[in-house]
Amino acid sequence: MLRDYGRQARPDVIAGFALHRYAWPACLLITVPWFLHRRVPRMPVDGVVFQRALGRMAVRVGEFACLPDDPLAGLPGARVVPDEEALRAEVRASVAEHLEPLLDGFRPRMRRGKRALWGMATDEIVEGLWYIAHLLGEERRAMAELELLLPGSTGPYVGAAGFRELTGPDGAALPTRDRAGCCLFYTLRPEDTCVTCPRTCDADRVSKLAATTAD
């Protein structure tokens, strides 16, 4: 915190940032193969090694779910599911299996209840894949896929993908969403909230998004 933001943070804020810096790539290791290849790896926590100082992960995957027409469906470890909805259920289950023990471990340090932590898990899934899909030029498809993945009624997750559109100064559509949880960044820089933070009004969102689009 001192290195990146020039000030000390509360212990619960530090814990929240630490969880995010792990959960973001961990979720992507599950959601990106699903998004690009329609394969969902199972990734229990004992199959992952994380080097905290370097921010690197090593993963051992022994099982993955796929659709009946997948060319890898006959491989050892492949588990065929009947359709897209069943595959989405595999994504939710795989992420939950991985994150649940982590959320339990972080809970006393973050001073948040179970519902708030699963809201953060929802945000990690949505915003991670949304960001990667934007880099790949497939933002709209990712938004549609995430709306189906997290419609808001799939426990233990709290909240939906919840995308909506604002209108920019030039009439362009600017996609946004309201996060289910809060990263507490405002405790470090009250004047600089995240663009998807519920604390950020739509006018400020439009200003920030329009500036990003112009860049």
Side-chain angles (χ1 to χ4, degrees), residues 135-168:
L135 298 180
L136 297 173
E138 295 199 61
E139 182 178 17
R140 290 292 175 176
R141 181 168 79 87
M143 291 166 64
E145 296 270 12
L146 287 164
E147 292 276 12
L148 293 172
L149 179 68
L150 293 167
S153 56
T154 50
Y157 302 100
V158 174
F163 291 106
R164 57 191 180 91
E165 286 190 347
L166 302 173
T167 303

Side-chain angles (χ1 to χ4, degrees), residues 10-190:
R10 296 183 340 218
D12 60 313
V13 177
I14 295 171
F17 273 54
L19 176 61
H20 165 68
R21 291 185 180 188
Y22 176 89
W24 176 279
C27 289
L28 288 174
L29 288 171
I30 297 168
T31 59
V32 169
W34 164 68
F35 182 67
L36 296 180
H37 303 294
R38 284 305 188 257
R39 295 173 190 143
V40 182
R42 280 284 179 165
M43 203 174 74
V45 289
D46 60 2
V48 177
V49 173
F50 180 60
Q51 294 177 307
R52 185 177 62 176
L54 299 175
R56 294 178 180 175
M57 284 183 173
V59 182
R60 180 181 64 246
V61 175
E63 180 182 335
F64 67 95
C66 63
L67 295 171
D69 60 351
D70 192 305
L72 301 186
L75 288 181
R79 190 158 46 81
V80 178
V81 297
D83 53 32
E84 291 282 358
E85 177 50 39
L87 201 62
R88 286 190 286 270
E90 291 289 333
V91 176
R92 293 188 291 263
S94 183
V95 174
E97 177 187 40
H98 188 83
L99 289 187
E100 186 169 21
L102 291 164
L103 298 183
D104 287 344
F106 271 90
R107 184 175 176 178
R109 293 180 178 272
M110 292 178 64
R111 298 189 301 177
R112 300 199 199 186
K114 188 173 182 178
R115 180 178 176 83
L117 290 173
W118 282 106
M120 292 182 67
T122 301
D123 293 330
E124 297 292 353
I125 294 172
V126 175
E127 302 210 352
L129 186 59
W130 184 24
Y131 173 76
I132 294 297
H134 173 74
L135 298 180
L136 297 173
E138 295 199 61
E139 182 178 17
R140 290 292 175 176
R141 181 168 79 87
M143 291 166 64
E145 296 270 12
L146 287 164
E147 292 276 12
L148 293 172
L149 179 68
L150 293 167
S153 56
T154 50
Y157 302 100
V158 174
F163 291 106
R164 57 191 180 91
E165 286 190 347
L166 302 173
T167 303
D170 59 353
L174 301 173
T176 188
R177 67 181 293 266
D178 294 320
R179 291 176 57 89
C182 181
C183 67
L184 302 180
F185 185 69
Y186 75 91
T187 63
L188 291 170
R189 294 180 181 172

